[in-house]
């Protein structure tokens, strides 16, 4: 051990009255031993012939922090390469080994360990390897430098993505705005011809005109969705909130989908909880969400099927949902339903039409702006339930008298 300890330091340590552990044998006395036990920055353990820890100096107990006495020596090691049999180690004890030990910080500490005999016991000395520490320091600096470079690159990429996203939103808004008027004109003129001139058309001509009307109607909806997405993703979504009647909003949405429902023979029933009728929301946007949910349910329902729109006031939220008897949705697809432009999101309705699936993504943004959340419950082949929740602070007291039957139920179709 280091023989340059000053006699003053040794006397000071010897008079301190703390040798770090009272289990040191009688041979371990004197200022040098006192320093090793109480003040040294070297880990010193006295081990039995079987490898149990009999004594530990203060630095060992401070560094490792575990109850050490009576424990097997390998209990302090981080077992990266398996337990080293103590007898095998003693056979080559003169060769220092680099071992990783547990510490009170939760981080491993690498020590250069040697073992020396002491009567029938053994002394284990462990000290920080200077070369190992220097190497570790260099590696940390290199990793930190690499991390800084990657952080800068990530910031540049994120900035580039933000600019590209802004350009995409600008393009969507411009394109949708420019397309909205001509598609609206096509739709209006097609409706006019169907209303005014259908009697003078042949069956084939009428079929062509209905195809034009249906295609223009779908295109008009897509253009509207693009406009909504560009507004939402540009962060310009604003709410014009007022106290409104949920049942009236449901009726408005039903009027927009009743024609499609009747053509497919789909019956729509509503069950609006009277306790949840008055809500503080953007009426037009909630109607948009309800219309989207009802349209999806109708389009995915079989001919002659049934769709149910219901609401329920729960202790922590208002729950509004639309249930259908459609084919259901596989779990893997459910994760992408509320994402804008998600890969593989496009799907086909029961009529065979291809859908880009922006409606649910728009609905999610609208509901989240109200402090709620969208949800879906579905099993393949067993129909689907789509809906949303609103927080309780969106509810307003109802002015209607309480009823023994708080659920208002209506049939449509």
């Amino acid at each position: 051990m280091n023989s340059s300890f000053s006699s003053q330091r040794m006397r000071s340590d010897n008079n301190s009255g703390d040798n770090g552990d009272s289990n040191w044998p009688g041979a371990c006395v004197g200022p040098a031993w006192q320093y090793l036990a109480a003040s040294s920055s070297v880990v010193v353990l006295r081990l039995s012939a079987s490898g149990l820890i009999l004594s530990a100096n203060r630095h060992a107990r401070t560094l490792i922090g575990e109850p050490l006495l009576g424990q097997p020596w390998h209990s302090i090691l981080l077992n990266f390469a398996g337990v080293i049999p103590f007898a095998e180690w003693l056979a080559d004890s003169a060769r220092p080994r680099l071992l990783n030990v547990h510490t009170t910080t939760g981080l491993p500490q690498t020590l250069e360990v040697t073992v020396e005999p002491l009567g029938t016991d053994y002394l284990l000395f462990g000290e920080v390897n200077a070369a190992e520490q220097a190497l570790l320091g260099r590696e940390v600096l290199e990793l930190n430098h690499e991390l800084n470079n990657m952080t800068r690159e990530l910031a540049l990429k994120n900035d580039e993505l933000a600019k590209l996203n802004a350009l995409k939103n600008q393009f969507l808004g411009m394109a949708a705005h420019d397309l909205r008027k001509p598609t609206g004109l096509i739709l209006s003129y097609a409706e006019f011809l169907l209303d005014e001139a259908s009697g003078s058309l042949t069956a084939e001509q009428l079929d062509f005109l209905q195809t034009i009307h249906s295609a223009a109607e779908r295109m008009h909806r897509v253009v509207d969705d693009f406009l909504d997405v560009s507004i939402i993703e540009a962060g310009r979504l604003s709410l014009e909130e007022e106290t409104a009647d949920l049942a009236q909003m449901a009726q408005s949405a039903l009027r927009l989908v009743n024609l499609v429902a009747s053509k497919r023979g789909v019956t729509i029933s509503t069950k609006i909880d009277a306790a949840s009728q008055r809500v503080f929301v953007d009426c037009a946007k909630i109607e948009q969400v309800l219309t989207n949910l009802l349209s999806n349910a109708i389009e995915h329902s079989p001919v002659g099927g049934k769709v149910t729109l219901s609401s329920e006031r729960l202790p922590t939220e208002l729950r509004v949902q639309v249930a259908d008897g459609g084919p259901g949705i596989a779990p893997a697809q459910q994760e992408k339903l509320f994402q804008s432009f998600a890969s593989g999101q496009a799907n086909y309705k029961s009529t065979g039409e291809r859908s880009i699936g922006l409606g649910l993504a728009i609905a999610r943004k609208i509901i989240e702006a109200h402090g709620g959340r969208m949800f879906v419950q579905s099993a393949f082949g067993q129909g689907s339930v789509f809906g949303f929740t609103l927080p309780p602070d969106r509810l307003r007291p109802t002015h209607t008298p309480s009823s023994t039957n708080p659920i208002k139920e209506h049939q449509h179709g």
Side-chain angles (χ1 to χ4, degrees), residues 1 33 44-48 86 89-90 92-96 113-126:
M1 305 306 297
W33 281 109
V44 182
L45 301 176
R46 181 167 68 96
L47 308 177
S48 70
F86 190 55
W89 197 16
L90 292 179
D92 192 19
S93 61
R95 180 171 65 87
V113 176
T114 56
V115 177
E116 300 291 342
L118 180 68
T120 59
D121 301 329
Y122 297 89
L123 288 179
L124 180 150
F125 299 95

Side-chain angles (χ1 to χ4, degrees), residues 258-401:
N258 267 337
L259 181 59
V260 178
S262 62
K263 286 180 178 179
R264 294 183 53 77
V266 174
T267 301
I268 306 174
S269 63
T270 60
K271 300 178 182 179
I272 303 299
D273 188 344
S276 65
Q277 277 192 246
R278 292 175 60 80
V279 288
F280 186 68
V281 295
D282 186 316
C283 188
K285 288 185 170 58
I286 295 299
E287 284 183 14
Q288 181 180 349
V289 174
L290 290 172
T291 303
N292 177 265
L293 295 181
L294 287 168
S295 297
N296 289 345
I298 294 167
E299 290 164 350
H300 290 88
S301 292
V303 174
K306 183 178 180 180
V307 170
T308 303
L309 167 61
S310 62
S311 74
E312 181 182 9
R313 180 171 181 175
L314 301 176
T316 59
E317 61 189 13
L318 166 63
R319 185 182 178 97
V320 181
Q321 65 184 39
V322 176
D324 65 59
I329 306 166
Q333 291 179 303
Q334 294 178 26
E335 300 175 1
K336 301 178 180 179
L337 288 173
F338 302 104
Q339 301 175 18
S340 300
F341 306 109
S343 175
Q345 185 177 329
N347 52 64
Y348 290 87
K349 305 174 185 178
S350 59
T351 57
E353 299 171 8
R354 191 174 187 271
S355 170
I356 59 173
L358 285 177
L360 288 174
I362 295 169
R364 178 176 69 88
K365 293 292 186 180
I366 291 173
I367 294 303
E368 287 177 352
H370 283 82
R373 61 181 177 84
M374 296 290 295
F375 65 86
V376 58
Q377 299 170 345
S378 183
F380 195 72
Q382 298 180 20
S384 303
V385 176
F386 281 85
F388 61 88
T389 66
L390 292 174
D393 59 4
R394 290 282 176 182
L395 292 169
R396 293 294 183 268
T398 178
H399 298 311
T400 58

Side-chain angles (χ1 to χ4, degrees), residues 214-231:
S214 298
E217 193 174 40
R218 289 197 301 272
M219 179 58 70
H220 202 64
R221 287 199 301 267
V222 170
V223 169
D224 284 343
D225 285 348
F226 279 160
L227 276 173
D228 288 337
V229 168
S230 66
I231 291 171

